[in-house]
Amino acid sequence: MSTSGGVTRNTLRQQIADALRDEVLAGRLPPGREFTVKQIAEQYGVSATPVREALFDLSAQGLLASDQHRGFQVREFTVADYRAMAEARALIVEGLFRNPAERVAVRPEALASIRRRAAEAVRAAKGGDLDVLIGYDLRFWRELGQFVLNPYIADFLTKLRVQAWVFAVHRLRRDGMDEDVLWFGHEELVEAIGRCDHEQVHAAMHSYYAHALAWADRLEAAEAGRSVPDAPESPGHCA
């Protein structure tokens, strides 16, 4: 295969993976939805090879489940999965800031872009625009992740964030968005990081994860048909 052919195929592979990820995050490909390589190839009018590679990429990211006989399926995350995601992120971030000088390097020149992402995410959350919120939220966390010196940790945190939104999106569309589950603390967090104020970073992240787990409690209670106490009034997050 020529170099140009390889580049074209890799570009198609990424474009298809990005398009399908957007469909999942928008809720247009709901959990449990099944499809085959042939169906996606016909949908996009491309050959099977880049489609197969894109689907395996999304499977590696935990967004799809694959079956040798049935093809691919949008993964269904449970409340227990979501709780585990939140706890994993909390443990990792706590570890990063236990000795931040060795694990985190804040680049002041990057903060202006991250502040813009933060402001747009907060505006979208307050306006109830879920699609815009997801886009800016993922960019916000991805750019913050570039401060993490270990790229494997940064990639893992991004993967968990995407999976959390896959869990959350169809529930938020079903139940609606309100201040009990949406986080408005992007701007406060980025300012604390910019000041290297580790106590405020910890406080923001503690509130973030406390609300994520409180939402998980409410979802579990709703599934079990019981009630739980209201969430704390400090800012939290839905995903």
Side-chain angles (χ1 to χ4, degrees):
M1 179 180 292
S2 67
T3 301
S4 60
V7 169
T8 300
R9 195 184 81 186
N10 287 338
T11 302
L12 273 175
R13 169 184 183 169
Q14 188 61 54
Q15 288 176 340
I16 293 166
D18 290 345
L20 289 173
R21 186 185 303 108
D22 289 345
E23 291 290 295
V24 172
L25 288 171
R28 290 187 288 271
L29 284 177
R33 172 73 177 273
E34 296 180 354
F35 45 81
T36 64
V37 171
K38 181 180 178 182
Q39 289 171 331
I40 299 300
E42 290 177 350
Q43 177 181 337
Y44 288 103
V46 297
S47 67
T49 299
V51 170
R52 185 177 296 106
E53 292 171 342
L55 293 177
F56 279 120
D57 287 345
L58 294 177
S59 297
Q61 295 169 28
L63 303 190
L64 303 180
S66 60
D67 183 277
Q68 183 176 358
H69 303 291
R70 300 174 63 183
F72 294 83
Q73 182 182 63
V74 179
R75 186 168 173 186
E76 297 187 68
F77 291 107
T78 66
V79 176
D81 290 329
Y82 175 73
R83 186 187 298 281
M85 294 174 202
E87 290 174 347
R89 283 173 61 89
L91 288 171
I92 292 171
V93 172
E94 275 191 25
L96 287 172
F97 281 93
R98 198 167 292 139
N99 193 351
E102 296 179 3
R103 300 184 176 95
V104 179
V106 176
R107 292 181 291 106
E109 70 276 9
L111 288 173
S113 174
I114 297 174
R115 286 189 179 97
R116 287 195 296 273
R117 309 296 190 199
E120 291 293 345
V122 172
R123 188 175 298 116
K126 291 180 177 178
D129 193 331
L130 186 57
D131 290 333
V132 174
L133 169 59
I134 292 173
Y136 277 110
D137 179 84
L138 288 175
R139 292 185 186 99
F140 173 80
W141 291 104
R142 190 178 299 119
E143 291 185 21
L144 275 185
Q146 294 175 6
F147 295 163
V148 178
L149 296 177
N150 186 322
Y152 294 97
I153 292 176
D155 288 346
F156 183 62
L157 288 172
T158 297
K159 176 180 175 180
L160 286 176
R161 189 69 187 151
V162 173
Q163 290 180 351
W165 273 119
V166 172
F167 166 84
V169 63
H170 73 281
R171 290 174 169 85
L172 292 175
R173 293 195 190 281
R174 178 194 67 198
D175 301 336
M177 303 192 304
D178 59 48
E179 294 188 5
D180 287 336
V181 296
L182 289 181
W183 185 53
F184 300 99
H186 292 78
E187 293 169 307
E188 289 79 2
L189 176 60
V190 72
E191 293 307 322
I193 291 174
R195 296 192 305 269
C196 295
D197 188 336
H198 302 146
E199 288 188 7
Q200 285 302 311
V201 170
H202 274 292
M205 296 306 296
H206 177 76
S207 174
Y208 174 95
Y209 291 116
H211 276 73
L213 295 176
W215 189 46
D217 288 342
R218 293 198 298 277
L219 290 172
E220 283 183 336
E223 291 178 1
R226 65 179 190 275
S227 61
V228 294
D230 291 337
E233 295 181 359
S234 54
H237 206 290
C238 63

